[in-house]
């Protein structure tokens, strides 16, 4: 199987059939072997009825139906887990992405890239609630992860399947896959893609998504930088706060001995206690993190490195 298309579907009744036809004609014109996996994320508008009718006539269309709404990331994850293709291409189920971009994405993969991220250069969404938060988020994500992309939020991307095998997604994390993948040494690039306004159905997100993305970004940054060495982050903060506490403590003593400033009326004493306490907490947190890291890697037999090739090693 050359390519698997993965589409999360949540109340997209009026889009499903048109999307299926557009995908079908794009894929058939390429002449490669393919499958389309549509994941119904607990729709209640009859999307599943349409999906099951289409799938009854075409075994290339595979459908997974969730028991309830688990979110777009979960739906995409389920698609990835079941995909058989060498190249996996997720896209939105609302016709905002263009199936005609698929051949260009695959070309890039064949050029040798592991991840090709769509870039909705001419994005057809509202300015204030979508484009501005997205611009800020993309700048922030690019700077923090070191993987510079214009459009992390675009669902239309292409992945070589080995890349996805090592990545588990939680929260709203599907957008961060390029950053997580590059941590494993994947070659990442981006490609401008078409984008259309939504014609049927409504968007499933509001402005509150921005906060969720920022919180997930913290997780991703932490995982990328410190998942194998948490003590180096928390230990560092711990040492800094203990040093600061020692400094304020010394100052309190100095003020008492040489300036006769009573200790119990000096707010620095409280600050000292607070800082020392916090420092110890940080270090203990780091040590607990180290224990967790061992459980995480060793219980799964996960190495802390990624090998590209082996020679004479069987
Ligand atoms: N989606 C989903 N589960 C959800 C929310 C959204 O499967 O809980 C799907 C939705 O059906 C669509 C895609 O994710 O195919 C993107 O959603 P939407 O178009 O609402 O996002 P926007 O384009 O407005 O960012
Ligand atoms: Mg959309």
């Amino acid at each position: 199987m050359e390519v698997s298309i993965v589409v999360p579907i949540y109340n997209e009744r009026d889009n499903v059939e048109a999307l299926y036809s557009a995908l079908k004609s794009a894929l058939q014109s390429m002449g490669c072997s393919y499958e389309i996996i549509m994941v119904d994320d607990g729709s209640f508008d009859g999307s599943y009825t349409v999906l099951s009718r289409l799938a009854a006539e075409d075994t290339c269309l595979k459908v997974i139906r969730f028991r309830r709404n688990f979110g777009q990331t979960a739906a995409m994850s389920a698609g990835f887990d079941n995909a058989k293709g060498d190249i996996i291409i997720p896209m939105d189920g609302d016709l905002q992405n263009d199936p005609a971009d698929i051949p260009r994405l695959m070309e890039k993969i064949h050029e040798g890239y592991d991840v090709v991220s769509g870039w909705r250069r001419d994005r057809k969404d509202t300015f204030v609630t979508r484009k501005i938060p997205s611009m800020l988020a993309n700048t922030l994500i690019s700077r923090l992860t070191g993987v510079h992309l214009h459009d992390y939020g675009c669902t239309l991307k292409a992945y070589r399947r080995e890349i996805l095998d090592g990545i588990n997604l939680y929260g709203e994390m599907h957008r961060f896959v390029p950053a997580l993948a590059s941590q494993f040494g994947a070659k990442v690039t981006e490609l401008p893609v078409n984008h259309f306004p939504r014609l049927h159905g409504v968007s499933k997100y509001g402005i509150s998504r921005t906060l969720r993305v920022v919180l997930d970004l913290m997780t991703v940054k932490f995982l990328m930088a410190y998942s194998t060495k948490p003590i180096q982050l928390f230990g560092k903060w711990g040492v800094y706060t203990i040093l600061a506490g020692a400094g304020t403590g010394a100052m309190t003593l100095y003020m008492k001995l040489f300036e006769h400033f009573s200790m119990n009326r000096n707010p620095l004493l409280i600050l000292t206690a607070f800082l020392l306490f916090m420092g110890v907490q940080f270090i203990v947190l780091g040590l607990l993190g180290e224990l967790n890291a061992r459980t995480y890697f060793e219980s799964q037999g996960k190495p802390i490195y990624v090998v590209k090739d082996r020679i004479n090693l069987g």
Side-chain angles (χ1 to χ4, degrees):
M1 183 85 65
E2 274 173 76
V3 55
S4 301
I5 310 292
V6 172
V7 191
I9 301 283
Y10 183 46
N11 295 339
E12 307 285 2
R13 183 188 54 214
D14 301 324
N15 293 315
V16 169
E17 188 151 6
L19 175 67
Y20 166 75
S21 311
L23 273 172
K24 204 73 192 159
S25 59
L27 291 162
Q28 273 169 348
S29 70
M30 291 169 63
C32 62
S33 51
Y34 64 87
E35 63 180 355
I36 302 169
I37 304 178
M38 298 216 182
V39 185
D40 176 8
D41 183 16
S43 303
F44 48 82
D45 69 340
S47 298
Y48 185 73
T49 317
V50 185
L51 285 173
S52 50
R53 173 168 55 76
L54 294 171
E57 287 156 23
D58 180 3
T59 50
C60 293
L61 175 61
K62 298 164 186 182
V63 178
I64 297 167
R65 184 189 198 183
F66 282 176
R67 282 197 180 271
R68 63 164 174 86
N69 178 242
F70 283 92
Q72 189 183 350
T73 299
M76 290 169 66
S77 250
F80 296 159
D81 291 343
N82 287 277
K84 302 272 187 307
D86 298 326
I87 301 174
I88 300 179
I89 301 185
M91 68 188 295
D92 278 349
D94 56 359
L95 291 169
Q96 290 198 268
N97 294 135
D98 187 358
D101 284 321
I102 291 172
R104 291 169 51 241
L105 290 168
M106 290 187 52
E107 233 168 71
K108 276 273 169 205
I109 295 273
H110 290 133
E111 273 175 33
Y113 290 100
D114 300 305
V115 177
V116 185
S117 182
W119 169 17
R120 299 164 291 181
R121 188 141 56 169
D122 183 18
R123 187 170 171 185
K124 302 290 193 305
D125 276 322
T126 52
F127 190 70
V128 177
T129 55
R130 280 297 150 84
K131 291 198 204 172
I132 293 199
S134 153
M135 247 158 54
L136 294 174
N138 285 311
T139 315
L140 193 67
I141 299 172
S142 295
R143 284 192 63 161
L144 279 181
T145 62
V147 182
H148 293 268
L149 296 178
H150 287 94
D151 192 5
Y152 268 92
C154 181
T155 309
L156 183 60
K157 293 181 164 84
Y159 304 107
R160 219 180 273 280
R161 78 158 303 122
E162 310 88 87
I163 296 297
L164 289 176
D165 284 344
I167 295 178
N168 293 326
L169 300 175
Y170 301 89
E172 293 278 314
M173 243 164 244
H174 61 88
R175 72 191 61 245
F176 294 107
V177 175
L180 292 167
S182 100
Q183 187 203 1
F184 296 126
K187 261 179 87 179
V188 181
T189 188
E190 65 182 349
L191 187 77
V193 294
N194 292 324
H195 194 241
F196 306 118
R198 190 189 250 281
L199 296 178
H200 305 287
V202 289
S203 171
K204 311 301 179 296
Y205 300 103
I207 189 82
S208 69
R209 174 166 64 186
T210 316
L211 178 62
R212 283 183 280 154
V213 169
V214 169
L215 292 173
D216 278 345
L217 174 61
M218 286 197 335
T219 312
V220 168
K221 174 70 193 175
F222 174 71
L223 288 179
M224 284 177 75
Y226 297 105
S227 63
T228 58
K229 45 181 189 231
I231 189 73
Q232 307 211 0
L233 177 68
F234 294 112
K236 189 172 67 186
W237 289 348
V239 170
Y240 289 161
T241 34
I242 286 177
L243 285 178
T248 51
M251 226 145 98
T252 321
L253 264 183
Y254 176 88
M255 287 161 86
K256 176 180 168 56
L257 295 177
F258 300 103
E259 293 175 359
H260 307 291
F261 193 100
S262 106
M263 266 174 103
N264 61 8
R265 291 177 65 193
N266 191 341
L268 280 179
L269 184 66
I270 295 170
L271 186 61
T272 305
F274 187 66
L275 286 171
L276 291 178
F277 185 66
M278 238 168 65
V280 173
Q281 293 272 315
F282 273 137
I283 290 175
V284 171
L285 211 57
L287 291 172
L288 284 177
E290 288 287 325
L291 271 184
N292 256 333
R294 279 156 184 70
T295 313
Y296 175 77
F297 285 98
E298 289 168 24
S299 66
Q300 303 183 78
K302 240 183 174 24
I304 56 167
Y305 51 82
V306 189
V307 173
K308 185 164 187 192
D309 286 311
R310 291 181 161 88
I311 295 182
N312 292 342
L313 272 166

